[in-house]
Amino acid sequence: MSDSNPSPPAPQRTLDPVKIGIVSISDRASSGVYADQGLPALQDWLARALQNPITFEPRLIPDEQERISATLIELVAAGCSLVLTTGGTGPAPRDVTPEATLAVAHKELPGFGEQMRQISLKFVPTAILSRQVAVVRERSLIINLPGQPKAIAETLAGLKDADGKVLVPGIFAAVPYCIDLIGGPYLETHEAVCKAFRPKSAQRA
């Protein structure tokens, strides 16, 4: 005899919305000399990686330290739980993104920069010249990323072999738990793009 009162379907989880600041830092792109590639690369990767509804706050600005710091402060004040920058992290005189980022930091997280350089060193020996940093300001995580779209994706997602096995973990695997710890929204990823890591005690049922 069939059950005339089937169990109701389980309620769907409501995903936390998240506001993300994306900042491309380039004198030439911001002045229109060439088309910026950083903002589209960041937005595309994040939209594929995260399940959460995202509001992006994009900024395209020149390599000016005070302007970069002011933009980061503005995005944090606007409620961005995550702010990603691209560009301006090398040793050239106009590369001042790390200095501008550290100037607004409440805490520094050296492991992010260390891991990005480990990933990039798999491709080019000049990765040791990169000076990316990551910091916490209030309840926001700010991370400097490389300037090239390919390098952005590699450092966020990590490196995999032909069978999809992770060879070097990307930095984004640690981002959702970091944002948990500083009081931000609960971020959930599409594992085919990036599998986030959390201790079992921090995972939602």
Side-chain angles (χ1 to χ4, degrees):
M1 183 175 179
S2 63
D3 187 353
S4 59
N5 295 301
S7 300
Q12 287 190 325
R13 285 181 302 165
T14 301
L15 298 170
D16 292 350
V18 59
K19 184 181 285 190
I20 300 178
I22 50 175
V23 186
S24 185
I25 300 161
S26 168
D27 286 332
R28 288 180 291 175
S30 63
S31 63
V33 173
Y34 57 72
D36 171 65
Q37 296 182 335
L39 295 177
L42 286 170
Q43 187 163 332
D44 173 71
W45 193 90
L46 291 164
R48 289 186 293 109
L50 285 172
Q51 298 184 43
N52 304 67
I54 308 170
T55 300
F56 288 107
E57 290 285 345
R59 301 289 188 274
L60 176 57
I61 60 175
D63 292 279
E64 297 171 1
Q65 184 169 337
E66 290 186 4
R67 177 77 176 274
I68 299 167
S69 291
T71 299
L72 298 178
I73 292 170
E74 171 202 341
L75 291 171
V76 171
C80 293
S81 300
L82 176 64
V83 179
L84 299 178
T85 75
T86 175
T89 60
R94 294 287 290 175
D95 290 334
V96 293
T97 302
E99 287 78 10
T101 303
L102 291 169
V104 304
H106 294 151
K107 294 180 180 178
E108 185 179 358
L109 300 171
F112 281 99
E114 293 165 3
Q115 185 66 5
M116 281 188 273
R117 285 181 281 277
Q118 285 297 314
I119 293 169
S120 296
L121 279 168
K122 299 290 183 182
F123 300 98
V124 290
T126 51
I128 59 174
L129 303 179
S130 298
R131 302 185 303 116
Q132 295 100 323
V133 300
V135 305
V136 172
R137 178 179 174 85
E138 297 178 3
R139 293 188 177 185
S140 299
L141 172 62
I142 304 171
I143 306 174
N144 302 154
L145 295 173
Q148 297 300 316
K150 181 175 182 289
I152 289 170
E154 288 164 352
T155 53
L156 289 171
L159 305 179
K160 298 178 181 179
D161 64 15
D163 297 322
K165 181 181 178 182
V166 174
L167 299 174
V168 183
I171 63 165
F172 204 83
V175 166
Y177 184 49
C178 180
I179 291 177
D180 292 350
L181 293 173
I182 61 177
Y186 190 90
L187 300 186
E188 302 191 47
T189 62
H190 292 287
E191 293 190 3
V193 179
C194 177
K195 183 176 181 179
F197 175 82
R198 283 182 173 93
K200 287 185 178 180
S201 60
Q203 296 174 13
R204 286 187 180 176

